[in-house]
Coordinates of all heavy atoms in Angstrom, one line a residue:
M1 N -10.5 0.9 2.3 CA -9.9 2.2 2.0 C -9.2 2.7 3.2 O -9.9 2.7 4.3 CB -10.9 3.1 1.4 CG -10.3 4.3 0.7 SD -11.5 5.2 -0.2 CE -12.2 4.0 -1.4
Q2 N -8.0 3.2 3.1 CA -7.3 3.6 4.3 C -6.7 5.0 4.1 O -6.1 5.2 3.0 CB -6.2 2.6 4.7 CG -5.5 2.9 5.9 CD -4.5 1.8 6.2 OE1 -4.2 1.0 5.4 NE2 -4.0 1.7 7.5
V3 N -6.8 5.8 5.1 CA -6.2 7.2 5.0 C -5.4 7.4 6.3 O -5.9 7.1 7.4 CB -7.3 8.3 4.9 CG1 -6.6 9.6 4.9 CG2 -8.0 8.1 3.6
L4 N -4.2 7.9 6.2 CA -3.4 8.2 7.4 C -3.7 9.6 7.9 O -3.8 10.5 7.1 CB -1.9 8.0 7.1 CG -1.4 6.6 6.6 CD1 0.0 6.7 6.2 CD2 -1.6 5.7 7.7
V5 N -3.8 9.7 9.2 CA -4.0 11.0 9.9 C -2.6 11.4 10.4 O -2.0 10.8 11.2 CB -5.0 10.9 11.0 CG1 -5.1 12.3 11.7 CG2 -6.3 10.4 10.5
R6 N -2.1 12.6 9.8 CA -0.8 13.0 10.2 C -1.0 14.3 11.1 O -1.8 15.2 10.8 CB 0.0 13.4 9.0 CG 0.3 12.2 8.1 CD 1.3 12.6 7.0 NE 1.5 11.4 6.2 CZ 1.6 11.5 4.9 NH1 1.4 12.6 4.2 NH2 1.8 10.3 4.2
D7 N -0.2 14.3 12.2 CA -0.2 15.5 13.1 C -1.6 15.8 13.6 O -1.9 17.0 13.7 CB 0.5 16.7 12.5 CG 1.9 16.4 12.0 OD1 2.6 15.6 12.7 OD2 2.3 17.0 11.0
N8 N -2.4 14.8 13.9 CA -3.8 15.1 14.4 C -4.6 15.9 13.5 O -5.5 16.6 13.9 CB -3.7 15.7 15.8 CG -4.0 14.6 16.9 OD1 -4.3 13.5 16.5 ND2 -3.8 15.0 18.1
N9 N -4.3 16.0 12.2 CA -5.0 16.8 11.2 C -6.1 16.0 10.6 O -6.0 15.4 9.5 CB -4.0 17.3 10.2 CG -4.6 18.5 9.4 OD1 -5.8 18.7 9.5 ND2 -3.8 19.2 8.7
V10 N -7.2 15.9 11.3 CA -8.4 15.1 10.9 C -9.0 15.7 9.6 O -9.5 15.0 8.8 CB -9.4 14.9 12.0 CG1 -10.6 14.1 11.6 CG2 -8.7 14.2 13.2
D11 N -9.1 17.0 9.6 CA -9.8 17.7 8.5 C -9.1 17.3 7.2 O -9.8 17.1 6.2 CB -9.8 19.2 8.7 CG -10.7 19.6 9.8 OD1 -11.7 18.9 10.1 OD2 -10.4 20.7 10.5
Q12 N -7.8 17.4 7.1 CA -7.1 17.0 5.9 C -7.3 15.6 5.5 O -7.5 15.2 4.4 CB -5.6 17.3 6.1 CG -4.8 17.1 4.8 CD -3.3 17.3 5.0 OE1 -2.8 17.5 6.1 NE2 -2.6 17.3 3.9
A13 N -7.3 14.7 6.6 CA -7.5 13.3 6.3 C -8.9 13.0 5.7 O -9.1 12.2 4.8 CB -7.3 12.5 7.6
L14 N -9.9 13.8 6.2 CA -11.2 13.6 5.7 C -11.3 14.1 4.2 O -12.0 13.5 3.4 CB -12.2 14.5 6.5 CG -12.7 13.8 7.8 CD1 -13.5 14.8 8.6 CD2 -13.5 12.5 7.5
R15 N -10.6 15.2 3.9 CA -10.6 15.7 2.5 C -10.0 14.6 1.6 O -10.5 14.3 0.5 CB -9.8 17.0 2.4 CG -10.7 18.2 2.5 CD -10.0 19.4 2.2 NE -9.5 19.9 3.5 CZ -8.2 20.3 3.8 NH1 -7.3 20.4 2.8 NH2 -7.9 20.7 5.0
V16 N -8.9 14.0 2.1 CA -8.2 13.0 1.3 C -9.1 11.8 1.1 O -9.3 11.2 0.0 CB -6.9 12.6 1.9 CG1 -6.3 11.3 1.3 CG2 -5.9 13.7 1.9
L17 N -9.8 11.4 2.2 CA -10.7 10.2 2.1 C -11.9 10.5 1.1 O -12.2 9.7 0.3 CB -11.3 9.9 3.5 CG -12.3 8.8 3.5 CD1 -11.7 7.5 3.1 CD2 -13.0 8.7 4.9
K18 N -12.4 11.7 1.2 CA -13.5 12.1 0.3 C -13.1 12.1 -1.1 O -13.8 11.6 -2.0 CB -14.1 13.5 0.7 CG -15.3 13.9 0.0 CD -15.8 15.2 0.5 CE -17.1 15.6 -0.2 NZ -17.6 16.9 0.2
K19 N -11.9 12.6 -1.4 CA -11.4 12.6 -2.8 C -11.2 11.2 -3.3 O -11.5 10.8 -4.4 CB -10.0 13.3 -2.8 CG -9.6 13.6 -4.2 CD -8.3 14.4 -4.2 CE -8.5 15.9 -3.9 NZ -7.4 16.7 -4.0
K20 N -10.7 10.3 -2.4 CA -10.5 8.9 -2.8 C -11.8 8.2 -3.1 O -11.9 7.5 -4.1 CB -9.8 8.1 -1.7 CG -8.3 8.3 -1.7 CD -7.7 7.3 -0.7 CE -6.2 7.4 -0.7 NZ -5.5 6.4 0.2
M21 N -12.8 8.5 -2.3 CA -14.1 7.9 -2.5 C -14.8 8.4 -3.8 O -15.4 7.7 -4.5 CB -15.0 8.2 -1.3 CG -14.6 7.4 0.0 SD -15.5 8.0 1.5 CE -17.1 7.4 1.1
Q22 N -14.6 9.7 -4.0 CA -15.1 10.3 -5.3 C -14.4 9.6 -6.5 O -15.1 9.3 -7.5 CB -14.8 11.8 -5.3 CG -15.3 12.5 -6.5 CD -16.8 12.8 -6.4 OE1 -17.3 12.9 -5.3 NE2 -17.4 12.8 -7.5
R23 N -13.1 9.4 -6.4 CA -12.4 8.8 -7.6 C -12.8 7.4 -7.8 O -12.9 6.9 -8.9 CB -10.9 8.8 -7.2 CG -10.1 9.1 -8.5 CD -8.6 9.2 -8.2 NE -8.3 10.5 -7.5 CZ -7.5 10.6 -6.4 NH1 -6.9 9.5 -5.9 NH2 -7.3 11.8 -5.9
E24 N -13.2 6.7 -6.7 CA -13.6 5.3 -6.9 C -15.0 5.1 -7.3 O -15.5 4.0 -7.6 CB -13.4 4.5 -5.5 CG -12.0 4.4 -5.1 CD -11.2 3.4 -5.9 OE1 -11.8 2.4 -6.3 OE2 -10.0 3.6 -6.2
G25 N -15.8 6.2 -7.3 CA -17.2 6.2 -7.7 C -18.1 5.7 -6.6 O -19.2 5.3 -6.9
L26 N -17.7 5.8 -5.4 CA -18.5 5.3 -4.3 C -19.7 6.2 -4.1 O -20.8 5.7 -3.8 CB -17.6 5.3 -3.0 CG -17.9 4.2 -2.0 CD1 -17.4 2.9 -2.6 CD2 -17.3 4.5 -0.7
F27 N -19.6 7.5 -4.2 CA -20.8 8.4 -4.0 C -21.8 8.1 -5.1 O -23.0 8.1 -4.8 CB -20.3 9.8 -4.0 CG -19.5 10.2 -2.8 CD1 -18.3 10.8 -3.0 CD2 -20.0 10.0 -1.6 CE1 -17.5 11.1 -1.9 CE2 -19.2 10.4 -0.5 CZ -17.9 10.9 -0.7
R28 N -21.4 7.9 -6.3 CA -22.3 7.6 -7.4 C -23.1 6.3 -7.1 O -24.3 6.2 -7.3 CB -21.6 7.6 -8.7 CG -22.5 7.5 -9.9 CD -21.7 7.5 -11.3 NE -20.6 8.3 -11.3 CZ -19.3 7.8 -11.5 NH1 -19.1 6.5 -11.6 NH2 -18.3 8.7 -11.5
E29 N -22.3 5.3 -6.7 CA -22.9 4.0 -6.4 C -23.9 4.1 -5.3 O -25.0 3.5 -5.3 CB -21.9 3.0 -6.1 CG -22.4 1.6 -6.0 CD -21.3 0.6 -5.7 OE1 -20.1 0.9 -6.1 OE2 -21.6 -0.5 -5.2
M30 N -23.6 4.9 -4.2 CA -24.5 5.0 -3.1 C -25.8 5.7 -3.5 O -26.9 5.3 -3.1 CB -23.8 5.8 -2.0 CG -22.8 5.1 -1.2 SD -21.8 6.0 -0.1 CE -22.8 7.3 0.5
K31 N -25.7 6.7 -4.4 CA -26.8 7.4 -4.9 C -27.7 6.5 -5.7 O -28.9 6.5 -5.6 CB -26.4 8.6 -5.7 CG -27.5 9.5 -6.2 CD -26.9 10.7 -7.0 CE -28.0 11.5 -7.6 NZ -27.5 12.6 -8.4
E32 N -27.1 5.6 -6.5 CA -27.9 4.7 -7.4 C -28.6 3.7 -6.5 O -29.7 3.2 -6.9 CB -26.9 4.0 -8.3 CG -26.4 4.9 -9.5 CD -25.4 4.2 -10.3 OE1 -25.1 3.0 -10.1 OE2 -24.9 4.8 -11.2
R33 N -28.0 3.3 -5.4 CA -28.6 2.2 -4.6 C -29.6 2.7 -3.6 O -30.2 1.9 -2.9 CB -27.5 1.5 -3.8 CG -26.7 0.6 -4.7 CD -25.6 0.0 -3.9 NE -24.7 -0.8 -4.8 CZ -24.4 -2.0 -4.6 NH1 -24.9 -2.7 -3.6 NH2 -23.6 -2.6 -5.5
R34 N -29.9 4.0 -3.5 CA -30.9 4.6 -2.6 C -32.3 4.0 -2.9 O -33.0 3.8 -1.9 CB -30.9 6.1 -2.7 CG -29.9 6.7 -1.8 CD -30.1 8.2 -1.7 NE -28.9 8.8 -1.1 CZ -28.3 9.9 -1.5 NH1 -28.9 10.6 -2.5 NH2 -27.3 10.3 -0.9
A35 N -32.6 3.9 -4.1 CA -33.9 3.4 -4.5 C -33.8 2.2 -5.5 O -32.7 2.1 -6.2 CB -34.7 4.5 -5.1
Y36 N -34.8 1.4 -5.6 CA -34.7 0.3 -6.5 C -34.8 0.8 -7.9 O -35.5 1.7 -8.3 CB -35.9 -0.6 -6.3 CG -36.0 -1.8 -7.2 CD1 -35.1 -2.9 -7.1 CD2 -36.9 -1.8 -8.3 CE1 -35.2 -3.9 -8.0 CE2 -37.0 -2.9 -9.2 CZ -36.1 -3.9 -9.0 OH -36.1 -4.9 -9.9
E37 N -34.0 0.2 -8.8 CA -33.9 0.5 -10.2 C -34.4 -0.7 -11.0 O -33.8 -1.8 -10.9 CB -32.5 0.9 -10.6 CG -32.4 1.4 -12.0 CD -31.0 1.8 -12.3 OE1 -30.0 1.3 -11.7 OE2 -30.8 2.7 -13.2
K38 N -35.4 -0.5 -11.8 CA -35.9 -1.6 -12.6 C -34.8 -2.0 -13.6 O -34.0 -1.2 -14.0 CB -37.1 -1.2 -13.4 CG -38.3 -1.0 -12.5 CD -39.5 -0.3 -13.2 CE -39.8 -0.9 -14.5 NZ -41.0 -0.3 -15.2
P39 N -34.8 -3.3 -13.9 CA -33.8 -3.8 -14.8 C -33.8 -3.1 -16.2 O -32.7 -2.8 -16.8 CB -34.1 -5.3 -15.0 CG -34.8 -5.7 -13.7 CD -35.5 -4.4 -13.3
S40 N -35.0 -2.8 -16.6 CA -35.1 -2.0 -17.9 C -34.5 -0.7 -17.8 O -33.8 -0.2 -18.7 CB -36.5 -1.9 -18.4 OG -37.3 -1.2 -17.4
E41 N -34.7 0.0 -16.7 CA -34.1 1.3 -16.5 C -32.6 1.2 -16.4 O -31.8 2.1 -16.8 CB -34.6 2.0 -15.2 CG -36.1 2.4 -15.3 CD -36.7 2.8 -14.0 OE1 -36.0 2.6 -12.9 OE2 -37.8 3.4 -14.0
R42 N -32.1 0.2 -15.7 CA -30.7 -0.1 -15.6 C -30.0 -0.2 -17.0 O -29.0 0.3 -17.2 CB -30.4 -1.3 -14.7 CG -29.0 -1.4 -14.3 CD -28.8 -2.6 -13.4 NE -27.7 -3.4 -13.9 CZ -27.8 -4.6 -14.3 NH1 -28.9 -5.3 -14.3 NH2 -26.7 -5.2 -14.8
R43 N -30.7 -1.0 -17.8 CA -30.1 -1.2 -19.2 C -30.0 0.1 -19.9 O -29.0 0.4 -20.6 CB -31.0 -2.3 -19.9 CG -30.7 -3.7 -19.6 CD -31.3 -4.7 -20.6 NE -32.7 -4.5 -20.6 CZ -33.6 -5.2 -19.8 NH1 -33.1 -6.1 -18.9 NH2 -34.9 -5.1 -19.9
V44 N -31.1 0.9 -19.8 CA -31.1 2.2 -20.5 C -30.0 3.1 -20.0 O -29.3 3.7 -20.8 CB -32.5 2.8 -20.4 CG1 -32.5 4.3 -20.8 CG2 -33.6 2.1 -21.1
R45 N -29.8 3.1 -18.7 CA -28.8 4.0 -18.1 C -27.4 3.5 -18.5 O -26.6 4.3 -18.9 CB -28.9 4.0 -16.6 CG -27.8 4.8 -15.9 CD -28.0 4.7 -14.4 NE -28.1 3.4 -13.8 CZ -27.1 2.6 -13.6 NH1 -25.8 2.9 -13.9 NH2 -27.3 1.4 -13.1
E46 N -27.2 2.2 -18.5 CA -25.9 1.7 -18.8 C -25.5 1.9 -20.3 O -24.4 2.2 -20.6 CB -25.8 0.2 -18.5 CG -25.7 -0.1 -17.0 CD -25.6 -1.5 -16.6 OE1 -25.9 -2.4 -17.5 OE2 -25.4 -1.8 -15.4
K47 N -26.5 1.7 -21.1 CA -26.3 2.0 -22.6 C -26.0 3.4 -22.8 O -25.1 3.8 -23.6 CB -27.6 1.6 -23.4 CG -27.3 1.7 -24.9 CD -28.4 1.0 -25.7 CE -28.1 1.0 -27.1 NZ -28.9 0.1 -27.9
A48 N -26.7 4.4 -22.1 CA -26.4 5.8 -22.3 C -25.0 6.1 -21.8 O -24.3 6.9 -22.4 CB -27.5 6.6 -21.5
Q49 N -24.6 5.5 -20.7 CA -23.2 5.7 -20.2 C -22.2 5.2 -21.2 O -21.1 5.8 -21.4 CB -23.0 5.0 -18.8 CG -23.8 5.7 -17.7 CD -23.7 5.0 -16.4 OE1 -23.4 3.8 -16.4 NE2 -23.9 5.7 -15.3
A50 N -22.5 4.1 -21.8 CA -21.5 3.5 -22.8 C -21.4 4.4 -24.0 O -20.3 4.6 -24.5 CB -22.0 2.1 -23.2
I51 N -22.5 4.9 -24.5 CA -22.5 5.9 -25.6 C -21.7 7.1 -25.2 O -20.9 7.6 -26.0 CB -23.9 6.2 -26.0 CG1 -24.6 5.0 -26.7 CG2 -23.9 7.4 -27.0 CD1 -26.1 5.1 -26.9
S52 N -21.9 7.6 -24.0 CA -21.2 8.8 -23.6 C -19.7 8.6 -23.5 O -18.9 9.4 -24.0 CB -21.7 9.2 -22.2 OG -21.0 10.3 -21.7
R53 N -19.3 7.4 -23.0 CA -17.9 7.1 -22.9 C -17.3 7.0 -24.3 O -16.2 7.4 -24.6 CB -17.7 5.7 -22.2 CG -17.7 5.8 -20.7 CD -17.2 4.5 -20.1 NE -17.8 3.3 -20.6 CZ -18.9 2.8 -20.2 NH1 -19.5 3.3 -19.1 NH2 -19.4 1.7 -20.7
Q54 N -18.0 6.4 -25.3 CA -17.5 6.2 -26.6 C -17.4 7.6 -27.3 O -16.4 7.8 -28.0 CB -18.5 5.3 -27.4 CG -18.1 5.1 -28.8 CD -16.8 4.3 -28.9 OE1 -16.6 3.3 -28.1 NE2 -15.9 4.6 -29.8
R55 N -18.3 8.5 -27.1 CA -18.2 9.8 -27.7 C -17.1 10.6 -27.1 O -16.3 11.3 -27.9 CB -19.5 10.6 -27.4 CG -20.7 10.2 -28.3 CD -21.9 11.1 -28.1 NE -23.0 10.6 -28.9 CZ -24.2 10.9 -28.7 NH1 -24.6 11.5 -27.6 NH2 -25.2 10.5 -29.5
K56 N -16.9 10.4 -25.8 CA -15.7 11.1 -25.2 C -14.4 10.6 -25.7 O -13.5 11.4 -26.0 CB -15.8 10.9 -23.7 CG -14.7 11.7 -22.9 CD -14.8 11.5 -21.4 CE -13.7 12.2 -20.7 NZ -13.8 12.1 -19.3
A57 N -14.3 9.3 -25.9 CA -13.1 8.7 -26.4 C -12.8 9.1 -27.8 O -11.7 9.5 -28.2 CB -13.1 7.2 -26.3
T58 N -13.9 9.2 -28.6 CA -13.7 9.6 -30.0 C -13.3 11.1 -30.1 O -12.4 11.5 -30.9 CB -15.1 9.4 -30.8 OG1 -15.4 8.1 -30.7 CG2 -14.9 9.8 -32.2
R59 N -13.9 11.9 -29.2 CA -13.6 13.3 -29.2 C -12.1 13.6 -28.8 O -11.4 14.3 -29.4 CB -14.5 14.1 -28.2 CG -14.4 15.6 -28.2 CD -15.5 16.2 -27.4 NE -15.5 15.8 -26.0 CZ -16.5 15.1 -25.5 NH1 -17.6 14.8 -26.2 NH2 -16.5 14.7 -24.2
K60 N -11.7 12.8 -27.8 CA -10.3 12.9 -27.3 C -9.3 12.5 -28.5 O -8.3 13.1 -28.7 CB -10.0 12.1 -26.1 CG -10.7 12.5 -24.9 CD -9.9 13.6 -24.2 CE -10.4 13.8 -22.8 NZ -9.7 14.9 -22.1
K61 N -9.7 11.4 -29.2 CA -8.8 10.9 -30.2 C -8.7 12.0 -31.4 O -7.6 12.2 -31.9 CB -9.4 9.6 -30.8 CG -8.6 9.0 -31.9 CD -9.2 7.8 -32.4 CE -8.4 7.2 -33.6 NZ -9.2 6.2 -34.3
M62 N -9.9 12.6 -31.7 CA -9.9 13.6 -32.8 C -9.1 14.8 -32.4 O -8.4 15.5 -33.2 CB -11.3 13.9 -33.2 CG -12.0 12.8 -33.9 SD -13.7 13.1 -34.3 CE -13.5 14.1 -35.7
Q63 N -9.1 15.2 -31.1 CA -8.3 16.3 -30.6 C -6.9 16.0 -30.7 O -6.1 16.9 -31.0 CB -8.7 16.7 -29.2 CG -10.1 17.3 -29.0 CD -10.5 17.5 -27.6 OE1 -9.9 17.0 -26.7 NE2 -11.6 18.3 -27.4
R64 N -6.5 14.8 -30.3 CA -5.1 14.4 -30.4 C -4.6 14.4 -31.8 O -3.4 14.8 -32.1 CB -4.8 13.0 -29.8 CG -4.8 13.0 -28.3 CD -4.2 11.7 -27.8 NE -5.0 10.5 -28.2 CZ -6.0 10.0 -27.6 NH1 -6.4 10.5 -26.4 NH2 -6.7 9.0 -28.1
E65 N -5.4 14.0 -32.8 CA -5.0 14.0 -34.2 C -5.1 15.4 -34.8 O -4.6 15.5 -36.0 CB -5.9 13.0 -34.9 CG -5.8 11.6 -34.5 CD -6.8 10.7 -35.2 OE1 -7.7 11.1 -35.9 OE2 -6.6 9.4 -35.0
G66 N -5.7 16.4 -34.1 CA -5.7 17.7 -34.7 C -6.9 18.0 -35.5 O -7.0 19.0 -36.2
V67 N -7.9 17.1 -35.6 CA -9.1 17.3 -36.4 C -10.0 18.3 -35.7 O -10.6 19.1 -36.3 CB -9.8 15.9 -36.6 CG1 -11.1 16.1 -37.4 CG2 -8.9 15.0 -37.3
L68 N -10.1 18.2 -34.4 CA -10.9 19.1 -33.6 C -10.0 20.0 -32.7 O -8.9 19.5 -32.3 CB -11.8 18.3 -32.6 CG -13.0 17.6 -33.2 CD1 -13.8 16.8 -32.2 CD2 -13.9 18.6 -33.9
P69 N -10.4 21.2 -32.4 CA -9.6 22.0 -31.5 C -9.6 21.4 -30.1 O -10.6 20.8 -29.7 CB -10.2 23.4 -31.6 CG -11.6 23.1 -32.0 CD -11.6 21.9 -32.9
G70 N -8.6 21.7 -29.3 CA -8.5 21.2 -28.0 C -9.5 21.8 -27.1 O -10.2 22.8 -27.5
P71 N -9.6 21.4 -25.8 CA -10.6 22.0 -24.9 C -10.2 23.4 -24.6 O -9.1 23.8 -24.7 CB -10.4 21.1 -23.6 CG -9.1 20.5 -23.8 CD -8.8 20.3 -25.2
K72 N -11.3 24.2 -24.3 CA -11.0 25.7 -24.1 C -10.3 25.8 -22.8 O -10.6 25.1 -21.8 CB -12.4 26.4 -24.0 CG -13.1 26.4 -25.3 CD -14.4 27.2 -25.2 CE -15.1 27.3 -26.5 NZ -16.3 28.0 -26.4
R73 N -9.3 26.7 -22.8 CA -8.5 26.9 -21.6 C -9.1 28.0 -20.7 O -9.5 29.0 -21.2 CB -7.0 27.2 -22.0 CG -6.4 26.1 -22.8 CD -5.0 26.5 -23.2 NE -4.1 26.7 -22.1 CZ -2.9 27.1 -22.2 NH1 -2.4 27.4 -23.4 NH2 -2.2 27.3 -21.1
T74 N -9.1 27.7 -19.4 CA -9.6 28.7 -18.5 C -8.4 29.6 -18.1 O -7.3 29.4 -18.3 CB -10.2 28.1 -17.3 OG1 -9.2 27.3 -16.6 CG2 -11.4 27.2 -17.7
A75 N -8.8 30.7 -17.4 CA -7.7 31.6 -16.9 C -6.8 31.0 -15.9 O -5.6 31.3 -15.8 CB -8.4 32.8 -16.2
A76 N -7.3 30.0 -15.1 CA -6.5 29.3 -14.1 C -5.5 28.4 -14.8 O -4.4 28.1 -14.3 CB -7.3 28.5 -13.1
A77 N -5.8 27.8 -16.0 CA -4.9 26.9 -16.6 C -3.8 27.6 -17.4 O -2.9 26.9 -17.8 CB -5.8 26.0 -17.6
R78 N -3.9 28.8 -17.6 CA -2.9 29.5 -18.4 C -1.7 29.8 -17.7 O -1.1 29.8 -16.9 CB -3.5 30.8 -19.0 CG -4.6 30.6 -20.0 CD -5.1 31.8 -20.6 NE -6.3 31.5 -21.4 CZ -7.1 32.3 -21.9 NH1 -6.9 33.6 -21.7 NH2 -8.1 31.9 -22.6

C-alpha cells in the first residue's frame, strides 16, 4: 500500500493511509489475529458474517424495489 506525501503534509498522508487500511479490512484482520481462534469458532463467525451479508443484500434489494422504506436520512444528508 502506498500513499504520497504532498507538501510535507504527513498528517494528511497518515489520514489517507488509515482510511485505505480501514477500507481493505486490515484493522479487522489484525484484531482477529491477536489471539488464536479455534476452527469451530471461526466457522461460527464466518457463518454469522455470511448470514449478515445476505440479510443486508436482501434489505437493499427490497428498498430498491420499494417494498421497504429507504434508510432514515440524517440532518447532514439533507
Side-chain angles (χ1 to χ4, degrees):
M1 198 169 297
Q2 185 177 14
V3 176
L4 297 175
V5 179
R6 295 187 181 138
D7 300 328
N8 260 352
N9 196 346
V10 177
D11 292 330
Q12 184 181 9
L14 279 173
R15 265 187 272 133
V16 171
L17 177 65
K18 188 174 179 182
K19 191 179 284 188
K20 279 186 176 185
M21 290 171 69
Q22 182 77 31
R23 215 175 289 135
E24 293 290 324
L26 213 72
F27 292 123
R28 189 180 320 118
E29 187 175 340
M30 285 170 33
K31 185 178 177 184
E32 288 172 2
R33 289 179 185 234
R34 274 192 193 136
Y36 177 74
E37 185 178 26
K38 289 171 45 179
S40 60
E41 292 172 346
R42 189 175 132 247
R43 279 192 300 271
V44 169
R45 178 181 49 81
E46 287 178 350
K47 185 167 185 165
Q49 287 175 340
I51 290 170
S52 177
R53 279 193 310 271
Q54 183 64 41
R55 283 184 181 155
K56 182 177 180 181
T58 304
R59 187 171 57 247
K60 292 275 191 183
K61 181 181 176 193
M62 292 177 80
Q63 286 174 351
R64 279 193 304 268
E65 293 174 354
V67 177
L68 289 178
K72 292 184 180 177
R73 297 177 65 184
T74 61
R78 291 180 188 173

